[in-house]
């Protein structure tokens, strides 16, 4: 059975991990958190002093994922999307959260003031939405509101329906 690959992207804190894990458990697709993958494999290329975090080695991440993506049935979660091959994904979801809600979520993660402000700006200027629209065919990029549990449940149900239909359309 062929199964689709799904990209979940958006500013840190919008709920990609929460949605991705729940979707995986309900659909049987595999969830991959690119941040965790990089950490486990030390797929880094230097250190960013300004942002106080390691720099992702994008080429090694792509190499690491290539075989699984070819097979299909993968949900990828990352706060960036311009370095993945366009051909990998059948649909791209950009999660969006209102500033005040996002601020509280990031604050409870213990982010310092600079990191908080940078991420809030990222959401205000819809950086990830623009990046997704520039990197993928616009018809496959969708924004999803991610402010509360009702929206989460609604997103899960919509995506489950989409997966089911995609599998039907691609089975011979
Ligand atoms: P991300 O993976 O995008 O960084 P996350 O899934 O870790 O985000 O979520 C950040 C926090 O927000 C976490 O405490 C769970 C909570 N959260 C996520 N989606 C939510 C939603 N739709 N409603 C309420 N809280 C949510």
């Amino acid at each position: 059975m062929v199964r689709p690959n799904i990209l979940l992207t958006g500013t840190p804190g919008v709920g990609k991990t929460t949605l991705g894990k729940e979707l995986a458990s309900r659909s049987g697709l595999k969830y991959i958190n690119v941040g965790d993958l990089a950490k486990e494999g030390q797929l880094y290329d230097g250190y960013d002093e300004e942002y106080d975090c390691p720099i992702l080695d994008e080429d090694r991440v792509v190499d690491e994922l290539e075989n699984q993506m070819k097979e299909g049935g993968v949900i990828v979660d990352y706060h960036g999307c311009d370095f993945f091959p366009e051909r990998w994904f059948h649909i791209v979801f950009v999660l969006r959260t209102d500033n005040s809600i996002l601020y509280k979520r990031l604050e409870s993660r213990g982010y310092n003031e600079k990191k908080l402000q940078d991420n809030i700006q990222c959401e205000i200027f819809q950086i990830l939405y623009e990046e997704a629209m520039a990197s993928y065919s616009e018809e496959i990029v969708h924004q999803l509101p991610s402010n509360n549990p009702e929206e989460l449940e609604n997103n899960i149900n919509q995506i489950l329906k989409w997966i089911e239909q995609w599998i039907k359309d691609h089975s011979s």
Side-chain angles (χ1 to χ4, degrees), residues 8-139:
L8 300 180
T9 191
T11 308
V14 291
K16 302 179 293 296
T17 306
T18 308
L19 174 64
K21 287 185 171 167
E22 192 55 31
L23 256 184
S25 91
R26 292 205 216 167
S27 66
L29 267 60
K30 182 175 182 184
Y31 168 78
I32 295 179
N33 184 306
V34 171
D36 291 349
L37 180 89
K39 200 172 181 183
E40 283 157 20
Q42 288 294 300
L43 307 175
Y44 298 132
D45 180 21
Y47 197 83
D48 188 323
E49 298 294 343
E50 188 189 351
Y51 290 97
D52 193 27
C53 64
I55 298 165
L56 198 71
D57 187 331
E58 299 175 345
D59 292 342
R60 283 174 66 208
V61 167
V62 169
D63 287 348
E64 185 75 27
L65 288 173
E66 183 66 52
N67 287 341
Q68 300 184 75
M69 300 307 292
K70 265 192 196 133
E71 225 171 272
V74 181
I75 299 166
V76 171
D77 162 353
Y78 196 57
H79 57 264
C81 63
D82 60 356
F83 63 93
F84 300 123
E86 192 184 349
R87 62 184 158 78
W88 275 4
F89 297 105
H90 302 99
I91 198 159
V92 175
F93 294 105
V94 184
L95 276 60
R96 302 299 307 270
T97 301
D98 295 348
N99 299 327
S100 55
I101 297 173
L102 185 63
Y103 192 94
K104 282 189 201 116
R105 289 187 196 165
L106 296 177
E107 202 177 29
S108 69
R109 275 188 182 172
Y111 279 16
N112 64 35
E113 193 55 32
K114 172 167 169 51
K115 211 168 166 184
L116 267 171
Q117 290 306 337
D118 286 344
N119 281 297
I120 295 295
Q121 293 282 314
C122 176
E123 187 60 9
I124 291 173
F125 290 114
Q126 46 186 30
I127 303 298
L128 269 307
Y129 178 60
E130 302 281 342
E131 188 175 319
M133 291 290 274
S135 307
Y136 300 90
S137 165
E138 293 185 5
E139 308 90 75

